[in-house]
Amino acid sequence: MANLDTWISGAPRGKPAVSSVPGVCMLLLIPGPVTTRSAVREALRYDFAPWDNDFRPLYAGIRERVLHIAHGIPGEHATLPLQGCGHFITEAAIRTFVPAGGKLLIPGTGAYADRMIRLAREAGRIPVVLPVSPVAAVDSNAVAAALEADPDIGHVGLVQSETGSGIVHDPVTIGAVARRLGRRLLVDAVSAFGALPLDLAQQPEIDCVGFTANKCLEGVPGMAFAVARIDRVEHCAGNAGSWSLDLSSIYAHALRSGWGSCRFTPPAQVLNAFNVALDLFDAEGGQPARLARYTANMRTLYDGVRRLGLTPCLSPQVQGPIIVNVHAPADPAWDLQRFVDVLKVRGVLISNFYNTEQPSFRVGCIGAITPADMTRAVAAMGEALSELGIERRKAA
Ligand SMILES: *Cc1c(COP(=O)(O)O)cnc(C)c1O
């Protein structure tokens, strides 16, 4: 009998990402979806019925595991999963917690703050943009001044790790300001959660933190999560103006039908793989261990590109562990897409666009990769620069 793969398409499906170098696995050095471990991808092989008694404990268990990573307090915080990507959870958080027409202060940290601004505006909320330095962490005094100047601002929306720049911003100091002034905080931790610390138990001013399965938690894409304060989400019914993106509806459904049940069809295979990713997260030593590995990845990369004569966009003091932007070399032979293509042949895939004001290339330090992989990536970058004939490597 023909094998199912051949029968359906005539070609094997689900081929793992490999470079054109035989036997070399592709390193995805992008800020999500990240390189995953084979055990995570293997867990995608199983089919589930989401309402089935085998699946419900898995779903409820994932909610507990995620709550634990956020240092949420059972009974005070709830995990509210949402099908989809990071933008979906950010929009759902804004729609649920900021009432229509309400004001949200967003420090303009870079490309991902810009996305939050657009999501808020298109949802009929009023984003108040706080201009901040593109090369420094957000100053909590500036946040305080902006909040004091406008008592109508109810929330601050903060990107914890600004993926556009690579700078990490501090929810603790900014949250303290919000708390003192009686305001609420929404945290976009999409590229931070699982690697950078966040302690909801210590920060009652946080309404909700949002993140996905496919960044620092090293799952595959398809599922997003909010961990939210129950006393807040309970009072937000009717805010969202969208059934799909209403976190209070997800909460109400869990109360009605149980924590193992989902409102709409979830990516069941993705959740099974995510549960394996969480096993690996625990086995590694949780958030501190992940931060240590990513920091070692970043340092290997940062020092490595400098040895190649290139210039990282940030000074070592503000360079975060998630993503490194490197200035494009001043050489006229520089061509980002060609650089990306030549790297890809060597088994290293980086983003083919830049999020910085000046041309740059960006390299993710997250995912199931180690400093040894980063050493290999730096060597590949050196070869690629030579192949492109790039001599002037300093920034323009
Ligand atoms: C990746 C990312 C997102 C969401 O991206 P999606 O493509 O929607 O998953 C949001 N915020 C930050 C900071 C991110 O890094």
Side-chain angles (χ1 to χ4, degrees):
M1 207 173 85
N3 143 322
L4 190 61
D5 286 339
T6 325
W7 188 58
I8 289 178
S9 65
R13 290 168 301 147
K15 190 165 151 268
V18 289
S19 74
S20 36
V21 182
V24 176
C25 271
M26 185 68 83
L27 285 178
L28 281 187
L29 300 188
I30 56 175
V34 298
T35 309
T36 54
R37 276 169 227 240
S38 56
V40 172
R41 294 191 306 275
E42 272 155 26
L44 292 166
R45 289 186 306 154
Y46 304 97
D47 292 325
F48 295 92
W51 42 261
D52 184 67
N53 285 338
D54 285 341
F55 189 75
R56 289 174 67 97
L58 178 97
Y59 196 61
I62 284 174
R63 290 177 119 140
E64 278 178 30
R65 299 182 82 173
V66 161
L67 186 79
H68 179 74
I69 298 168
H71 298 274
I73 303 169
E76 251 177 63
H77 295 97
T79 302
L80 306 171
L82 180 71
Q83 298 85 342
C85 65
H87 286 80
F88 291 15
I89 200 70
T90 302
E91 179 173 349
I94 292 169
R95 284 182 171 274
T96 302
F97 293 102
V98 182
K103 284 188 180 175
L104 172 71
L105 180 74
I106 302 177
T109 52
Y112 284 82
D114 291 347
R115 284 151 185 259
M116 193 189 269
I117 292 163
R118 178 168 174 181
L119 291 170
R121 187 173 294 129
E122 296 205 7
R125 277 62 175 168
I126 303 170
V128 179
V129 182
L130 175 67
V132 300
S133 161
V135 291
V138 174
D139 174 7
S140 61
N141 293 319
V143 174
L147 292 178
E148 275 162 351
D150 188 346
D152 292 340
I153 297 173
H155 282 80
V156 179
L158 181 71
V159 179
Q160 187 177 6
S161 167
E162 173 50 79
T163 316
S165 67
I167 299 177
V168 170
H169 301 285
D170 184 12
V172 174
T173 55
I174 290 159
V177 161
R179 185 156 76 232
R180 176 165 62 77
L181 298 172
R183 318 298 171 87
R184 312 294 308 165
L185 182 61
L186 301 175
V187 183
D188 168 353
V190 178
S191 63
F193 194 80
L196 296 172
L198 187 76
D199 188 340
L200 290 185
Q202 301 299 320
Q203 295 204 254
E205 72 283 1
I206 297 181
D207 275 354
C208 144
V209 54
F211 51 93
T212 62
N214 61 280
K215 291 201 182 184
C216 303
L217 294 171
E218 301 184 0
V220 300
M223 201 70 199
F225 300 89
V227 181
R229 276 200 77 81
I230 290 172
D231 61 3
R232 297 282 305 158
V233 79
E234 271 175 347
H235 293 110
C236 289
N239 272 0
S242 159
W243 185 21
S244 297
L245 297 177
D246 184 358
L247 296 175
S248 76
S249 159
I250 298 175
Y251 176 69
H253 179 87
L255 288 189
R256 250 191 337 268
S257 310
W259 295 95
S261 87
C262 354
R263 283 189 314 171
F264 313 140
T265 305
Q269 295 88 342
V270 166
L271 285 160
N272 192 48
F274 184 55
N275 203 41
V276 173
L278 292 177
D279 290 342
L280 295 167
F281 176 81
D282 290 344
E284 184 174 356
Q287 175 265 318
R290 200 140 287 189
L291 178 58
R293 176 161 58 83
Y294 291 173
T295 303
N297 290 345
M298 179 275 286
R299 293 228 170 95
T300 304
L301 174 72
Y302 191 96
D303 295 345
V305 294
R306 281 170 80 171
R307 274 199 301 277
L308 294 177
L310 297 165
T311 317
C313 294
L314 297 177
S315 69
Q317 291 76 33
V318 290
Q319 174 62 61
I322 307 298
I323 183 138
V324 175
N325 285 298
V326 182
H327 283 297
D331 199 294
W334 171 256
D335 176 334
L336 177 58
Q337 187 62 55
R338 276 203 66 207
F339 184 63
V340 170
D341 290 344
V342 170
L343 275 181
K344 187 169 155 189
V345 172
R346 290 169 168 78
V348 176
L349 199 50
I350 66 166
S351 303
N352 67 349
F353 55 89
Y354 57 90
N355 279 319
T356 50
E357 231 154 76
Q358 301 300 318
S360 63
F361 67 89
R362 65 175 204 172
V363 187
C365 304
I366 60 178
I369 53 168
T370 63
D373 294 316
M374 283 306 194
T375 301
R376 175 155 84 78
V378 169
M381 286 172 197
E383 290 169 20
L385 291 172
S386 302
E387 191 171 323
L388 265 62
I390 291 178
E391 279 154 20
R392 287 174 55 209
R393 295 183 175 184
K394 289 265 173 266

Coordinates of all heavy atoms in Angstrom, one line a residue, residues 19 24 47 107 109 119 121 140 160 162 167 186 190 200 205 215 222 231 238 249 326 333 364-366 390:
S19 N 19.7 23.1 5.6 CA 20.4 23.9 4.7 C 20.7 23.1 3.4 O 20.5 21.9 3.4 CB 21.7 24.5 5.3 OG 22.6 23.4 5.3
V24 N 23.4 19.3 7.4 CA 23.5 20.4 8.3 C 22.1 21.0 8.6 O 21.4 21.4 7.7 CB 24.4 21.5 7.7 CG1 24.5 22.7 8.6 CG2 25.8 20.9 7.5
D47 N -2.5 13.4 16.8 CA -3.8 14.1 16.6 C -4.6 14.0 17.9 O -4.5 13.0 18.6 CB -4.6 13.5 15.4 CG -3.9 13.7 14.1 OD1 -3.3 14.8 13.9 OD2 -3.9 12.9 13.2
P107 N 5.6 54.0 25.6 CA 7.0 54.5 25.3 C 7.4 54.0 23.9 O 7.3 52.8 23.6 CB 7.8 53.8 26.4 CG 6.8 53.5 27.5 CD 5.6 53.1 26.8
T109 N 9.6 52.7 22.0 CA 10.9 52.1 22.1 C 11.4 51.6 20.7 O 12.6 51.3 20.6 CB 10.8 50.9 23.1 OG1 9.7 50.0 22.7 CG2 10.6 51.3 24.5
L119 N -2.1 48.9 16.8 CA -3.1 48.0 17.3 C -4.1 48.8 18.2 O -5.3 48.6 18.1 CB -2.6 46.8 18.1 CG -1.8 45.8 17.3 CD1 -1.0 44.8 18.2 CD2 -2.7 45.0 16.3
R121 N -4.7 52.1 18.2 CA -5.4 53.1 17.4 C -6.5 52.4 16.6 O -7.7 52.9 16.6 CB -4.4 53.8 16.5 CG -5.0 55.0 15.8 CD -4.0 55.8 15.0 NE -3.1 56.5 15.9 CZ -1.7 56.4 15.8 NH1 -1.2 55.7 14.8 NH2 -1.0 57.1 16.6
S140 N 12.0 55.7 33.9 CA 10.7 55.6 34.6 C 10.3 57.0 35.0 O 9.1 57.3 35.2 CB 10.8 54.7 35.8 OG 11.8 55.1 36.7
Q160 N 8.7 44.7 26.8 CA 9.8 44.4 27.7 C 11.1 44.2 27.0 O 12.1 44.8 27.4 CB 9.4 43.1 28.5 CG 10.4 42.8 29.6 CD 10.1 41.5 30.4 OE1 9.1 40.8 30.1 NE2 10.8 41.3 31.5
E162 N 12.5 45.0 23.4 CA 12.1 45.7 22.1 C 12.9 44.9 21.0 O 14.1 45.1 20.9 CB 12.4 47.2 22.2 CG 12.2 47.9 20.9 CD 10.9 47.7 20.2 OE1 9.9 48.3 20.5 OE2 10.9 46.9 19.2
I167 N 17.0 46.3 22.9 CA 17.1 46.8 24.3 C 16.1 46.2 25.2 O 14.9 46.1 24.8 CB 17.0 48.3 24.3 CG1 18.1 49.0 23.4 CG2 17.0 48.9 25.7 CD1 18.0 50.5 23.3
L186 N 0.3 47.1 31.0 CA 0.2 45.9 30.1 C 1.6 45.7 29.6 O 2.3 46.6 29.1 CB -0.7 46.2 28.9 CG -2.2 46.6 29.2 CD1 -2.9 47.0 28.0 CD2 -2.9 45.5 29.9
V190 N 6.4 39.3 24.5 CA 6.4 38.3 23.5 C 7.9 37.8 23.2 O 8.1 36.5 23.1 CB 5.8 38.8 22.1 CG1 5.9 37.7 21.1 CG2 4.3 39.1 22.4
L200 N 4.8 38.4 38.5 CA 3.5 39.0 38.7 C 3.1 39.1 40.1 O 2.3 40.1 40.5 CB 2.4 38.2 37.9 CG 2.5 38.3 36.4 CD1 1.3 37.5 35.8 CD2 2.5 39.7 35.9
E205 N 0.2 45.9 39.8 CA -0.3 46.9 38.9 C -0.4 46.3 37.4 O -0.9 47.0 36.5 CB 0.6 48.1 38.9 CG 2.0 48.0 38.3 CD 2.9 47.2 39.2 OE1 2.5 46.8 40.3 OE2 4.1 47.0 38.8
K215 N 8.8 31.7 21.0 CA 10.0 32.5 21.1 C 10.8 31.9 22.3 O 11.3 30.8 22.1 CB 9.7 34.0 21.3 CG 9.1 34.6 20.0 CD 9.1 36.1 19.9 CE 8.5 36.5 18.6 NZ 8.6 37.9 18.3
G222 N 1.7 29.2 16.8 CA 0.3 28.8 16.7 C -0.5 29.2 17.9 O -1.8 29.2 17.9
D231 N -9.1 39.8 39.2 CA -10.0 40.9 39.6 C -10.2 41.9 38.6 O -11.1 42.7 38.7 CB -9.6 41.4 41.0 CG -8.2 42.0 41.0 OD1 -7.5 42.1 39.9 OD2 -7.7 42.5 42.0
G238 N -17.3 43.0 27.9 CA -18.0 44.0 27.1 C -17.0 45.1 26.6 O -17.4 45.9 25.7
S249 N -13.9 37.0 27.9 CA -14.7 35.8 27.4 C -14.0 34.5 27.6 O -14.6 33.5 27.9 CB -15.1 36.1 26.0 OG -15.5 34.9 25.3
V326 N 23.3 44.6 13.9 CA 24.7 45.0 13.5 C 24.6 46.0 12.3 O 23.8 45.7 11.4 CB 25.4 43.7 13.1 CG1 26.9 44.1 12.7 CG2 25.4 42.7 14.2
A333 N 29.6 47.2 -1.8 CA 29.2 45.8 -2.2 C 28.2 45.2 -1.2 O 27.7 44.1 -1.5 CB 30.5 44.9 -2.2
G364 N 18.9 36.8 15.8 CA 18.3 36.4 17.0 C 19.2 35.5 17.8 O 20.0 34.7 17.2
C365 N 19.2 35.6 19.1 CA 20.1 34.8 20.0 C 19.2 33.8 20.8 O 19.7 33.1 21.7 CB 20.8 35.7 21.0 SG 21.7 37.0 20.2
I366 N 18.0 33.6 20.4 CA 17.0 32.8 21.2 C 16.7 31.5 20.4 O 17.0 31.4 19.2 CB 15.7 33.5 21.5 CG1 15.0 34.0 20.3 CG2 16.1 34.7 22.4 CD1 13.7 34.7 20.6
I390 N 33.4 42.2 0.7 CA 33.2 43.4 1.5 C 34.5 43.7 2.3 O 34.9 42.9 3.1 CB 32.0 43.2 2.4 CG1 30.8 43.3 1.5 CG2 32.0 44.3 3.5 CD1 29.5 43.1 2.2

